Amino acid sequence: MYNLLLTLLIIDCILITIAVLMQPSKTNDAMSALTGGADDLFAKQKPRGFEAFMQKTTVVLGVIFFALSLGLVWLSSH
């Protein structure tokens, strides 16, 4: 059981890394420093499409990572 959870944790770690790297970047350029950050007004919109999917996927994979980690700790202590 321990080996199965450890394998699933390693797979989850790889998937989290891929999901984080696939998310669109939110970089501030030099123009936002000159305009006083007025572009941030439109950046507060809810993510749609691919960006929303990737955020939800990252959250789900993070929860799975946390649960698998707790499961491994519990198994190693018993």
Side-chain angles (χ1 to χ4, degrees), residues 42-73:
F42 300 107
K44 300 290 184 192
Q45 295 176 352
K46 290 180 71 175
R48 300 174 194 254
F50 181 71
E51 185 178 352
F53 173 74
M54 290 309 297
Q55 285 182 358
K56 291 176 186 173
T57 302
T58 306
V59 169
V60 168
L61 289 172
V63 169
I64 292 171
F65 175 82
F66 188 69
L68 287 173
S69 298
L70 287 177
L72 282 172
V73 168

Side-chain angles (χ1 to χ4, degrees), residues 20-59:
V20 167
L21 290 175
M22 287 180 63
Q23 289 184 1
S25 64
K26 297 175 182 152
T27 59
N28 290 334
D29 53 357
M31 192 62 176
S32 67
L34 296 175
T35 61
D39 295 334
D40 290 340
L41 174 65
F42 300 107
K44 300 290 184 192
Q45 295 176 352
K46 290 180 71 175
R48 300 174 194 254
F50 181 71
E51 185 178 352
F53 173 74
M54 290 309 297
Q55 285 182 358
K56 291 176 186 173
T57 302
T58 306
V59 169

